[in-house]
Each structure stands twice: as C-alpha cells, then as structure tokens.
Amino acid sequence: MELPKGTVRRVNACVLRLRDSPRFGRVVRRRLTVVTYTGRRSGKTFSTPVAYRRSGETVTIGVQFPGAKAWWRNFLGAGGPISLHLDGEDRPGHAVSHRDDKGRVTVTVTLEHRPAR
C-alpha cells in the first residue's frame, strides 16, 4: 500500500506538532524522533519524524510504508551519516538500511560515541 506524498507530509506535520506540544510532547518523544540527513543525490538536508527503538547506542527504525518513502534509500549498502534528536540534543550516527525478503525495511543507526561530560 502506498500513500500519496501529500498525505505523508500532512501526517509528518501533525506528528511534529504532537512531539513539540507541552501536553503530549514528553510521551511522544519516548518513541518518536526526528532524523536529519543529506540526500545522496540532491545534496540537500532533510528532516523527518520516525518511530524508533533504542538499545544503548543502537537505534532501530522500522520504516512504515517504505514504498511511499525515499529517505531510507540514502542508507542502502554501506550506509551513511545521520543525526537523530534524542534526549534533547542532536546525536550523530551511522545508518544502514536493510530490506528483508518480505519487503520490510529497517534502518539501524549506530550512534557516535559521546565524550563523558
């Protein structure tokens, strides 16, 4: 199932408003983050909200409706740099996307080591 691009943009805008809201933001941020990356062909910087799971310095993003989204394709093969907004700050990392034999797409991000404060 593919969603029209306009629908994806509207949903993303709603998700960002929820994530930033004083009432629901704290709860929403536990499972939603914003990824920022540079398009491999365009060279432009993009940001998009995504659901994630985190285990230590590894973040896993399950891409819903991958046919309607292109951002994850920037991380095929050897992957590339990405930034995730976590714990109130932008965390750089290296992302690699994988499509399984059923067409499901997962992006695995290894966060860069953060020096002790």
Side-chain angles (χ1 to χ4, degrees), residues 33-40 44-52 57-63 70-76 78-86 89-97 105-113:
T33 188
V34 176
V35 297
T36 302
Y37 61 95
T38 301
R40 65 179 173 194
K44 294 180 183 178
T45 300
F46 299 95
S47 295
T48 190
V50 298
Y52 74 98
E57 297 299 290
T58 301
V59 175
T60 305
I61 302 164
V63 180
W71 72 268
W72 59 270
R73 292 179 178 92
N74 286 284
F75 307 103
L76 289 169
I82 194 169
S83 177
L84 289 82
H85 194 81
L86 298 168
E89 65 181 353
D90 290 327
R91 295 285 310 273
H94 182 83
V96 177
S97 62
V105 175
T106 303
V107 178
T108 303
V109 179
T110 304
L111 298 171
E112 289 184 10
H113 178 69

